[in-house]
């Protein structure tokens, strides 16, 4: 039996839309998913606050209703690797939700952020009541493992330039002028994502801009033509 909550239709509907974006639940009927959405609680986080710390006890799935967060790994020496930047409609915390293990990454709010939280006990009760949903979760986990394998392949077999090009294309969206990265990342951000020095990123970006491949504006980056296969 699911845990009783005070039902809030607006919160529940927003959470339902967020849950539908979670690959684990992509095959679950809306009527079934709505039961899980009704278990959500809402939390607000100020800019620059830490929402999750790597290594702490897990326990909830977070769905971003508004704002923006950054997921990252850090070492004792202070080195940081950025895993992703996420905004409204995205989610995080799903691994600990399923396996109960400590958090695998840290999450920081880049701007004031509101999240809908699904507690782990509520998910377990929901899965017991809906075994077909559990099979959907298993299928989605299998697809995620395959995707992670491809990501590891790219990191292991690509050089720094190849990783940078892939990251730029992953960030870009297509418009009438070509491909644009609407929110320009810093060179340090790019270095943290691909695992190299900021100086290396700066050299490559400067060469690409000099060669007419990139047009770097104050707030955006335009990919003017296909980036060369090597540097």
């Amino acid at each position: 039996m699911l845990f009783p909550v005070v039902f809030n239709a607006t919160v529940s509907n927003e959470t339902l839309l967020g849950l539908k974006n979670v690959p684990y639940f992509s095959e679950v009927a809306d009527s079934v998913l709505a039961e899980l959405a009704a278990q959500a609680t809402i939390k607000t986080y100020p800019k620059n606050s830490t929402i999750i710390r790597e290594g702490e006890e897990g326990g909830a799935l977070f769905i971003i209703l508004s704002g923006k967060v950054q997921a990252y790994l850090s070492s004792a020496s202070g080195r940081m690797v950025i895993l992703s930047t996420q905004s409204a409609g995205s989610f995080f915390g799903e691994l600990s939700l399923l396996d109960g293990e400590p958090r695998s990454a840290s999450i920081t709010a880049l701007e004031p952020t509101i999240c809908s939280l699904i507690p782990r006990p509520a998910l377990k009760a929901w899965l017991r009541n809906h075994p077909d949903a559990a099979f959907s979760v298993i299928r989605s986990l299998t697809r995620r493992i395959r995707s992670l394998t491809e990501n590891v392949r790219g990191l292991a077999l690509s050089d720094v330039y190849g990783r940078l090009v892939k990251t730029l294309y992953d960030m870009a969206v297509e418009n009438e002028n070509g491909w644009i990265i609407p929110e320009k990342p810093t060179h340090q951000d790019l270095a943290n994502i691909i695992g190299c020095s900021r100086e290396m990123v700066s050299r490559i970006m400067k060469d690409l801009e000099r060669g007419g491949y990139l047009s770097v504006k104050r707030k955006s980056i335009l990919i003017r033509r296909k980036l060369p296969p090597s540097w």
Side-chain angles (χ1 to χ4, degrees), residues 5 40-41 79 108 131 142 149 168 176-177 179 184 194-195 214:
V5 296
T41 57
R79 184 183 176 190
T108 295
T142 302
T149 300
L168 292 174
E176 65 276 6
N177 298 316
W179 290 85
K184 183 177 73 175
I194 66 176
L214 299 179

Side-chain angles (χ1 to χ4, degrees), residues 36-166:
L36 184 60
Q39 306 301 310
T41 57
I42 301 299
K43 284 194 175 182
T44 301
Y45 301 91
K47 181 179 179 179
N48 296 326
S49 62
T50 300
I51 301 175
I52 286 176
R53 293 186 188 277
E54 181 182 354
E56 71 182 11
E57 183 178 351
L61 168 69
F62 293 70
I63 296 169
I64 306 171
L65 301 181
S66 66
K68 184 182 295 184
V69 306
Q70 186 174 82
Y72 63 93
L73 303 174
S74 58
S75 67
S77 64
R79 184 183 176 190
M80 178 189 295
V81 176
I82 297 174
L83 300 177
S84 65
T85 299
Q86 300 167 261
S87 54
S90 189
F91 60 93
F92 57 90
E94 73 280 10
L95 295 181
S96 293
L97 179 75
L98 293 171
D99 64 13
E101 293 296 316
R103 298 296 189 183
S104 59
S106 297
I107 305 285
T108 295
L110 297 178
E111 59 188 46
T113 298
I114 300 175
C115 292
S116 179
L117 278 64
I118 303 291
R120 188 165 183 261
L123 175 73
K124 291 173 67 176
W126 178 75
L127 288 173
R128 282 196 297 269
N129 289 343
H130 300 286
D132 287 346
F135 283 105
S136 174
V137 170
I138 291 170
R139 283 192 295 269
S140 296
L141 279 170
T142 302
R143 287 194 291 269
R144 184 178 179 91
I145 290 170
R146 292 185 185 277
S147 175
L148 289 172
T149 300
E150 289 304 310
N151 288 342
V152 171
R153 184 199 306 276
L155 287 172
L157 301 181
S158 297
D159 58 13
V160 169
Y161 175 77
R163 298 200 298 273
L164 178 59
V165 167
K166 182 181 184 302

Side-chain angles (χ1 to χ4, degrees), residues 1 3 26 43 61 214 221:
M1 184 174 180
F3 298 89
S26 61
K43 284 194 175 182
L61 168 69
L214 299 179
I221 299 175

